[in-house]
Amino acid sequence: MNHFAIYLLTLGAFVTGTAEFVVSGILEIISSDLDISVSVAGQLITIYSLCYAIGALILVMVTSKFDRKKVLLYSMVIFLTGNIMAYISHNYTILMFSRVVLALSGGLYIVVATNYAAHLAQPGKRGSAMATVITGFTVSLAFGVPIGTFTAAYIDWRNIFLIIGVVTCLNIMLLQKFIPKLDGNKPMPIKQQLILIKDKRLLIGLFITAFWILGYTLVFAYISPILSLYAGFSIEMISMTLLILGVSAFIGSRFGGYAVDKWGSYLTITISLVIHTIVLMVLTFTIHSTIGTLITIMIWAIAAWTTTPANQFYLTSLKPQSSEIILSFNTAIMNIGMTLGAGLGGLVIEYTEIIYLIWLGGLMVFIALGIACYSFKLGKKTA
């Protein structure tokens, strides 16, 4: 297995993840600086998730026949452009447009990179290879987002995107030099791609993704004001909490890949969703205790991110010959769920108390658990 090449792909996932998630940590700072409400600022997350879904689905289809290395590199160059736009943005409109550019390129990159990793790995290690790229996302939670949040407390928040741009430049050069060439696939007609979704197991499996990420995003997108209002955390304490959340998410994603290879996707997904549901319900009671909040968030992140590689492996195992298309569907659905989560969360905090987001998030994950059980039942019948 080409470990170094996979780690370079992971670095790209790290910078795209940081650009996406860092806004959650600095939502109140952006709101104050641009003189907009928190709910309006939260739509920066909404539009990113929506455009990320388009990039992951439509752009992957459009570019499927092209050399995957070139697609990978071009997506990162466009992503670099988006970071430069965010750095020079001095009003909400320019910042919003930069989010569109970042999301379209980031969505394309993560699907191609995840599939790339699977091709670079040995057959018995593909789950771990895919989980490694996903780990780039979770490492961005572990280090990129909390460091960015902490940095924004002392310097202009726009400099975060400048730093991301510098790392992106480095990654582009390394990808160009060390990533082997991978031929494109014969384009699959839209009609044939839609036929894939007629497989009930796959269609229902995508709903697992939609509901668990919806539940997760309802809480994560507004974690900064939740911790500020109910736990009484300062910006420094919030950044430390995000660090704990990110490290735990990293552990969860690595464990998810290991668990799939060891015990299978059915058991891994089921247990992680059960714990995820319970922990969100518990958070409403522990939120008033500093230690209780930190422990609960740690368990929450581990459970949530264990699901990610497990569900991706489950979905691609249903139709191995169409793995990149399925990954693009899954990534698109994930970001549609994030779009709905951020948008619905904005409505909730506009008309009621923000604490209700945690209960609503737990309910969504519980629905995902029920859908997963039904999907697995169908899978056993088919087998």
Side-chain angles (χ1 to χ4, degrees):
M1 182 160 59
N2 194 336
H3 292 285
F4 185 64
I6 292 173
Y7 291 145
L8 289 179
L9 296 170
T10 304
L11 177 61
F14 168 77
V15 292
T16 59
T18 301
E20 176 173 6
F21 296 132
V22 73
V23 170
S24 295
I26 59 174
L27 209 56
E28 291 179 301
I29 295 174
I30 292 175
S31 169
S32 175
D33 186 45
L34 299 181
D35 194 26
I36 54 177
S37 67
V38 171
S39 62
V40 171
Q43 302 319 303
L44 292 169
I45 302 171
T46 305
I47 196 65
Y48 190 102
S49 299
L50 181 61
C51 292
Y52 197 102
I54 295 171
L57 186 59
I58 297 177
L59 293 184
V60 168
M61 293 179 185
V62 171
T63 63
S64 63
K65 66 180 179 180
F66 300 125
D67 182 307
R68 307 322 282 157
K69 181 174 180 177
K70 288 183 178 179
V71 173
L72 203 70
L73 291 172
Y74 289 146
S75 66
M76 289 305 282
V77 170
I78 297 171
F79 178 77
L80 172 61
T81 304
N83 278 290
I84 294 171
M85 292 176 60
Y87 173 64
I88 63 174
S89 64
H90 290 285
N91 61 59
Y92 184 73
T93 302
I94 296 175
L95 181 59
M96 181 66 82
F97 188 64
S98 75
R99 300 294 288 170
V100 172
V101 175
L102 288 168
L104 289 172
S105 55
L108 175 60
Y109 174 85
I110 198 66
V111 173
V112 177
T114 305
N115 192 57
Y116 227 117
H119 278 83
L120 293 173
Q122 298 167 358
K125 298 290 184 180
R126 286 176 179 169
S128 294
M130 293 168 70
T132 299
V133 176
I134 296 168
T135 298
F137 250 27
T138 57
V139 169
S140 73
L141 284 170
F143 299 106
V145 175
I147 290 174
T149 304
F150 186 79
T151 302
Y154 298 97
I155 62 174
D156 193 319
W157 56 269
R158 296 172 183 82
N159 288 300
I160 297 170
F161 294 99
L162 178 62
I163 296 169
I164 294 173
V166 171
V167 178
T168 302
C169 278
L170 175 63
N171 193 45
I172 291 171
M173 291 186 287
L174 292 173
L175 286 171
Q176 170 64 35
K177 186 172 183 179
F178 293 106
I179 294 293
K181 183 179 178 181
L182 181 63
D183 292 332
N185 304 310
K186 184 180 179 180
M188 183 182 289
I190 298 294
K191 185 178 180 180
Q192 193 174 342
Q193 293 180 29
L194 295 176
I195 288 174
L196 288 174
I197 307 180
K198 287 187 177 180
D199 186 326
K200 275 190 176 181
R201 298 169 302 161
L202 179 58
L203 179 60
I204 296 170
L206 290 171
F207 275 100
I208 299 172
T209 298
F211 278 94
W212 87 255
I213 197 64
L214 174 57
Y216 178 81
T217 305
L218 278 166
V219 181
F220 179 76
Y222 299 95
I223 191 67
S224 181
I226 287 173
L227 293 175
S228 175
L229 290 172
Y230 292 94
F233 285 6
S234 63
I235 186 67
E236 292 82 5
M237 193 65 183
I238 291 172
S239 65
M240 189 191 80
T241 305
L242 288 173
L243 177 61
I244 292 172
L245 188 154
V247 170
S248 302
F250 168 77
I251 294 170
S253 66
R254 296 305 299 153
F255 178 73
Y258 169 80
V260 167
D261 290 335
K262 183 83 173 174
W263 300 299
S265 55
Y266 286 22
L267 187 61
T268 305
I269 293 170
T270 302
I271 293 177
S272 63
L273 289 176
V274 167
I275 296 173
H276 191 164
T277 303
I278 294 172
V279 168
L280 280 181
M281 298 303 181
V282 169
L283 182 59
T284 58
F285 299 101
T286 61
I287 192 70
H288 303 292
S289 163
T290 299
I291 298 298
T293 298
L294 296 178
I295 292 174
T296 308
I297 284 179
M298 179 179 67
I299 299 171
W300 170 50
I302 291 174
W305 286 92
T306 294
T307 308
T308 311
N311 200 43
Q312 286 197 332
F313 185 85
Y314 168 62
L315 293 173
T316 54
S317 69
L318 298 175
K319 300 284 183 180
Q321 71 279 10
S322 306
S323 59
E324 190 169 284
I325 297 297
I326 290 172
L327 282 172
S328 70
F329 281 149
N330 188 59
T331 304
I333 291 295
M334 180 178 288
N335 283 274
I336 289 171
M338 293 172 73
T339 301
L340 293 174
L344 180 59
L347 287 175
V348 170
I349 64 176
E350 189 75 23
Y351 297 104
T352 186
E353 294 200 27
I354 198 170
I355 195 70
Y356 294 125
L357 288 177
I358 301 176
W359 286 103
L360 187 58
L363 175 61
M364 295 300 108
V365 179
F366 181 72
I367 292 173
L369 174 61
I371 294 171
C373 292
Y374 180 58
S375 182
F376 299 154
K377 185 178 179 181
L378 284 177
K380 290 176 181 177
K381 283 183 178 180
T382 303

